Amino acid sequence: FLYFPETHGITFRIQISVKELLDTDILLKLLFHLPVNYPSTPPDISVNSDQLTRAQCMDVKDKLLEQAKKHLSEPMVHDLILWIQQNLKYVIKQSATVCNEKTTLSKGTSAEDGIWMLLLHLDHMRAKAKYVKIVEKWASDLRLTGRLMFMGKIILILLQGDRSNIKEYLILQKTSKVDVDSSGKKCKEKMISVLCETKVQSQHKRFQTFEVKEYSTLDELQKEFETAGLTTLFSEFVPPLLK
């Protein structure tokens, strides 16, 4: 696993393969954020898996948080990983049996969460090719769509997807070594601005893919936003970047 020490705690990204029912391998992508006062406070946990539904991932997360509360004041990440390896099939089985009861509830929840949109501004990319590959990989892993946009010195990242995945992307963007400094050493992104984080509205067009695009003029960039029904977003946040 990787860990990124931060003043606000530590973030672990861990991938584990678990033998599930019918001997199918389930690949779980777990993210643990340990707050500064861990283990007196339980970690924040994020769960993703291509083989599980979003509801099942939420059930796994809820069960892990229940277990975490039993281990307060003692290191628990290792125990939580062992627990989910041994109990995943039971969590999924239980999740399936209550699925029908939760259908109306989950519809309400998903409607409330909906699809969210994030607009980020980056000051620069020194190691551009590597940086772009990292952003593409994160977008793919978290099933986010949108654009990485270059226009002159302006660099924008526009993302759409589940709110939890948008938030996980932000954690990765702020805690991973994605670029190099002036001396060529790997460094974290310190000059990033969150211009907008909002729920996707009915007038907004959904991006089907994540693409890296370069624009030679501001008009071209503006047309990209207009095509996606994001004219207001463009006019509010992009022109001020040129000043």
Side-chain angles (χ1 to χ4, degrees):
F1 53 81
L2 302 174
Y3 72 97
F4 310 106
E6 286 290 305
T7 52
H8 56 270
I10 294 176
T11 300
F12 290 85
R13 278 184 67 78
I14 300 169
Q15 286 198 169
I16 57 170
S17 184
V18 185
K19 278 271 189 229
E20 214 271 309
L21 300 170
L22 303 175
D23 289 332
T24 306
D25 278 349
I26 301 288
L27 186 66
L28 281 184
K29 299 170 187 175
L30 306 174
L31 187 141
F32 294 90
H33 174 69
L34 313 186
V36 177
N37 50 354
Y38 168 85
S40 300
T41 301
D44 290 324
I45 302 171
S46 175
V47 179
N48 276 288
S49 174
D50 293 338
Q51 291 102 335
L52 301 181
T53 65
R54 185 162 176 257
Q56 286 173 323
C57 286
M58 290 299 291
D59 283 335
V60 171
K61 173 184 171 178
D62 291 343
K63 294 296 182 187
L64 282 171
L65 287 172
E66 278 179 27
Q67 290 301 310
K69 288 173 185 173
K70 298 177 183 177
H71 293 276
L72 287 179
S73 300
E74 59 186 70
M76 65 183 79
V77 172
H78 182 64
D79 289 328
L80 293 178
I81 293 168
L82 290 178
W83 186 87
I84 199 60
Q85 284 177 314
Q86 293 163 2
N87 293 278
L88 179 65
K89 59 185 174 185
Y90 306 114
V91 175
I92 293 173
K93 203 172 180 181
Q94 188 180 24
S95 173
T97 57
V98 297
C99 184
N100 292 334
E101 296 170 26
K102 285 187 174 179
T103 301
T104 51
L105 178 66
S106 64
K107 276 182 183 170
T109 307
S110 61
E112 184 184 322
D113 292 346
I115 300 299
W116 279 67
M117 179 166 57
L118 179 70
L119 182 63
L120 300 172
H121 172 240
L122 301 181
D123 186 72
H124 62 269
M125 284 184 182
R126 283 197 176 93
K128 183 177 175 179
K130 183 190 171 193
Y131 203 136
V132 167
K133 279 186 179 177
I134 291 172
V135 172
E136 286 180 312
K137 184 179 187 308
W138 288 342
S140 172
D141 288 349
L142 295 169
R143 296 187 288 283
L144 301 174
T145 60
R147 300 285 185 267
L148 169 52
M149 302 177 278
F150 296 91
M151 200 289 294
K153 291 187 176 180
I154 292 179
I155 306 170
L156 298 169
I157 302 176
L158 180 61
L159 298 169
Q160 293 178 344
D162 286 347
R163 193 177 189 186
S164 59
N165 289 355
I166 291 272
K167 290 193 175 298
E168 187 169 334
Y169 178 93
L170 264 177
I171 292 174
L172 288 170
Q173 181 77 62
K174 291 176 179 177
T175 58
S176 306
K177 290 186 177 179
V178 287
D179 207 0
V180 295
D181 60 21
S182 54
S183 62
K185 289 182 181 175
K186 290 181 181 178
C187 67
K188 294 174 188 173
E189 180 57 73
K190 294 188 172 70
M191 301 183 75
I192 184 171
S193 306
V194 178
L195 300 179
C196 180
E197 186 178 354
T198 185
K199 193 172 181 179
V200 170
Q201 304 300 323
S202 56
Q203 70 269 26
H204 300 153
K205 182 184 167 189
R206 286 289 310 278
F207 290 108
Q208 299 304 310
T209 58
F210 182 81
E211 296 177 32
V212 180
K213 299 183 80 169
E214 303 219 9
Y215 309 85
S216 52
T217 66
L218 191 62
D219 282 345
E220 284 182 16
L221 182 60
Q222 186 170 352
K223 278 175 187 169
E224 181 77 75
F225 277 80
E226 287 174 354
T227 303
L230 301 171
T231 306
T232 306
L233 191 73
F234 176 88
S235 57
E236 187 173 348
F237 295 105
V238 181
L241 300 174
L242 295 166
K243 293 174 183 176

